[in-house]
Amino acid sequence: MQLYNTLSAEERAELIDQAGKQRLTLSFYAYAHIEDPKKFRDDLFIEWNKLDALGRTYVAKEGINAQMSVPAENFEAFRETLEAYDFMKDIRLNVAVEHDDHSFLKLTVKVRHKIVADGLNDETFDVTNKGVHLNARDFNAILEDPNTIVVDFRNHYESEVGHFKGAITPDVETFRESLPIINEQLKDFKEDKNLVMYCTGGIRCEKASAYFKHQGFKNVFQLEGGIINYAKQIKEEKLESKFIGKNFVFDHRLGERITDDIIAQCHQCGKPCDNHTNCANDGCHLLFIQCNECAEKMEHCCSVECLETTHLPLAEQVKQRRGIQVGNKVFRKGKSEALKFKHSGELTATPLAKASEEKPKTIRQRIAQKKVMVGKGQHYFSKAQVGQFIIENLELKTGDKILISGPTTGNQHLIVENMFVNGAPGDVAKAGDKITFSVPFKVRASDKLFKLQN
């Protein structure tokens, strides 16, 4: 019985392309008491795996929070797997405005202490005493009221690329940080102001609205279904969008466009841009905004230091990372001294440019552009730390950048510094040749050998 994902992202992307079927990107959440989260998690994984559903889901005793990619033809069957549970009857599924068949490439379902890390003690207030839900039309109307204060309960890297006009956008990295900041900032307006809040899909505001009512705010409202549902409603009802820019999303797309206004800048050159990327250095993975020109020049890295690191042999990269805590850098979401054009906190709603037809490369395009399969794994000589491969396609030379990929091995990047071809030292290997070279990890028969191209 399969309870965990067994394919790499590249292998899953290839299967999706071969299937040639449309997939829908969606999200949902539900607060409920779940007695046995582990069993609930396993049951969901088994049913979703049958439907080729992919995505990232958190399960806790307090409920479920999910972002998913589902084949369009399996959409209703997927809904049935949810509505088999009473607390998810008639659950709202926030279907994305823009779709990408590769938005998720793995199925991950994890048991957590909470479905959203809010830092709150739920036993100290009534979490069911929530703010008034507003649809898109009513949300637009209340924003026009001069008695309204609107707050963005997302993080700085989300609000930087898009937000509602006039919103307070806290300069925070986590949801839990924003709660005390907003409570202190608005402490003098609890009685007479409309506190209107929004987030991506609504889940953060479900808890935040109850928290602020507990703190004494009298008039608390929240955007029903978040920005995702708002975008769908304004499109269907032909309403004016009070949201400007792009909505950050937590999948491989890293954003879906709501309006064609670009309000952010490339963090490296300052050009108007709102395309997020993760640094290609495995020791960094910093999330930041990068235009296509800088992506090509910097090879998707956030700094010269990271770029130089990616050119080192894998063994040297691993050695540099050993014993170093990179978590703080990873989760500083774009706050790096190397990024000269990063802005957060007080943000503008003034467009810097209009979105063009040019889009950032999708994960699948980047995969396809960078690698060509040239061979397969044969054997690993553990004492000598040498891998053996059979070349099946094209040729491989010393100095080539390669990727060794497999279900267990994962994705390992190397540079072929020297090799043996059919048992003798050589610089070029062609189809049919057996090659061996130093590899600082175990090679398996299921591994594929790719040559990386510029």
Side-chain angles (χ1 to χ4, degrees):
M1 183 183 300
Q2 184 179 337
L3 292 175
Y4 297 93
N5 186 83
T6 58
L7 297 177
S8 68
E10 288 84 355
E11 290 170 320
R12 178 70 69 178
E14 290 175 5
L15 289 177
I16 290 174
D17 287 344
Q18 291 170 11
K21 297 178 180 179
Q22 181 190 7
R23 301 183 67 89
L24 303 177
T25 302
L26 55 93
S27 62
F28 62 92
Y29 66 88
Y31 280 100
H33 177 68
I34 298 175
E35 189 66 34
D36 188 347
K38 176 62 168 61
K39 182 179 185 305
F40 179 60
R41 176 261 174 219
D42 290 349
D43 291 343
L44 288 179
F45 190 98
I46 291 169
E47 294 303 314
W48 291 353
N49 196 45
K50 294 176 185 176
L51 299 174
D52 192 25
L54 306 173
R56 183 189 305 113
T57 298
Y58 298 136
V59 170
K61 287 195 172 185
E62 67 172 355
I64 182 172
N65 179 19
Q67 295 86 41
M68 304 292 295
S69 170
V70 179
E73 64 183 14
N74 293 341
F75 180 75
E76 290 304 324
F78 179 79
R79 179 186 288 277
E80 290 176 3
T81 68
L82 305 179
E83 295 191 342
Y85 300 90
D86 289 340
F87 73 90
M88 288 194 284
K89 293 287 187 185
D90 301 318
I91 190 170
R92 182 186 63 246
L93 301 181
N94 287 330
V95 180
V97 177
E98 297 179 352
H99 294 289
D100 182 343
D101 291 344
H102 304 105
S103 58
F104 287 102
L105 296 174
K106 291 186 178 182
L107 175 57
T108 304
V109 187
K110 294 184 177 181
V111 175
R112 291 283 179 88
H113 175 63
K114 283 197 168 188
I115 55 177
V116 175
D118 52 38
L120 299 175
N121 182 355
D122 295 351
E123 296 180 359
T124 62
F125 66 101
D126 184 359
V127 296
T128 66
N129 185 23
K130 298 173 289 192
V132 177
H133 285 77
L134 300 175
N135 60 26
R137 187 180 298 276
D138 292 338
F139 194 83
N140 278 0
I142 203 169
L143 292 185
E144 296 296 328
D145 187 340
N147 205 42
T148 290
I149 297 175
V150 59
V151 180
D152 189 327
F153 274 101
R154 301 173 302 153
N155 305 320
H156 66 80
Y157 55 90
E158 300 173 78
S159 57
E160 184 176 5
V161 295
H163 51 265
F164 280 95
K165 300 173 185 177
I168 296 173
T169 55
D171 186 12
V172 297
E173 299 179 30
T174 64
F175 171 52
R176 71 171 66 193
E177 291 177 66
S178 64
L179 296 173
I181 290 174
I182 295 300
N183 191 39
E184 174 64 23
Q185 189 172 343
L186 302 182
K187 63 183 179 181
D188 296 329
F189 304 104
K190 295 183 178 182
E191 298 284 341
D192 57 348
K193 294 291 186 180
N194 297 322
L195 175 57
V196 179
M197 57 186 66
Y198 69 90
C199 57
T200 306
I203 187 170
R204 284 175 274 191
C205 291
E206 286 287 298
K207 187 65 70 70
S209 66
Y211 170 76
F212 282 99
K213 290 189 73 174
H214 174 69
Q215 292 297 318
F217 287 84
K218 302 301 183 185
N219 307 304
V220 181
F221 303 84
Q222 64 187 97
L223 179 58
E224 183 178 22
I227 302 165
I228 296 174
N229 197 41
Y230 177 86
K232 180 181 178 182
Q233 289 181 348
I234 63 170
K235 185 176 181 180
E236 292 175 347
E237 300 178 31
K238 295 181 171 53
L239 303 174
E240 175 192 0
S241 177
K242 300 288 188 180
F243 186 95
I244 182 170
K246 181 185 282 188
N247 180 29
F248 183 94
V249 293
F250 294 88
D251 58 56
H252 287 304
R253 297 172 300 155
L254 295 178
E256 59 179 13
R257 187 157 298 287
I258 309 301
T259 71
D260 62 359
D261 302 288
I262 296 177
I263 62 173
Q265 296 173 279
C266 171
H267 288 167
Q268 292 176 317
C269 72
K271 172 184 175 181
C273 177
D274 54 11
N275 298 325
H276 278 99
T277 189
N278 284 104
C279 181
N281 176 15
D282 287 336
C284 179
H285 284 179
L286 193 73
L287 178 70
F288 67 106
I289 297 174
Q290 186 179 54
C291 68
N292 285 348
E293 289 81 0
C294 287
E296 183 174 351
K297 175 184 176 183
M298 297 295 293
E299 299 179 24
H300 301 282
C301 291
C302 71
S303 64
V304 173
E305 177 187 13
C306 282
L307 177 60
E308 292 175 346
T309 298
T310 62
H311 290 178
L312 295 174
L314 177 63
E316 181 61 28
Q317 293 185 45
V318 172
K319 182 179 178 181
Q320 286 189 5
R321 296 200 300 268
R322 190 171 294 129
I324 298 176
Q325 278 291 341
V326 297
N328 288 337
K329 187 173 182 181
V330 171
F331 293 108
R332 273 194 287 112
K333 302 295 182 186
K335 289 191 175 181
S336 166
E337 294 180 359
L339 304 175
K340 304 301 182 184
F341 295 90
K342 164 67 183 174
H343 302 290
S344 60
E346 295 297 325
L347 303 177
T348 179
T350 303
L352 302 177
K354 293 292 184 180
S356 65
E357 294 300 317
E358 181 184 30
K359 295 184 178 181
K361 291 182 175 66
T362 65
I363 185 171
R364 186 66 181 125
Q365 288 171 331
R366 286 171 62 174
I367 291 170
Q369 180 189 39
K370 290 178 63 177
K371 68 178 189 179
V372 177
M373 182 175 169
V374 294
K376 292 183 178 179
Q378 291 275 292
H379 189 66
Y380 183 67
F381 302 93
S382 56
K383 289 186 177 181
Q385 289 192 312
V386 168
Q388 183 182 71
F389 299 84
I390 180 74
I391 301 298
E392 297 182 342
N393 181 45
L394 301 177
E395 64 180 23
L396 190 69
K397 300 178 181 178
T398 54
D400 281 345
K401 297 179 182 179
I402 61 172
L403 166 68
I404 300 172
S405 178
T408 304
T409 305
N411 299 312
Q412 305 289 351
H413 293 77
L414 291 169
I415 295 177
V416 181
E417 297 178 339
N418 51 65
M419 63 180 172
F420 280 76
V421 181
N422 297 323
D427 294 323
V428 181
K430 298 181 179 180
D433 289 342
K434 283 189 176 183
I435 63 170
T436 53
F437 54 85
S438 178
V439 182
F441 52 84
K442 185 176 181 179
V443 172
R444 299 166 175 84
S446 58
D447 289 346
K448 296 177 182 178
L449 174 64
F450 298 91
K451 180 163 70 173
L452 301 182
Q453 299 178 327
N454 295 325

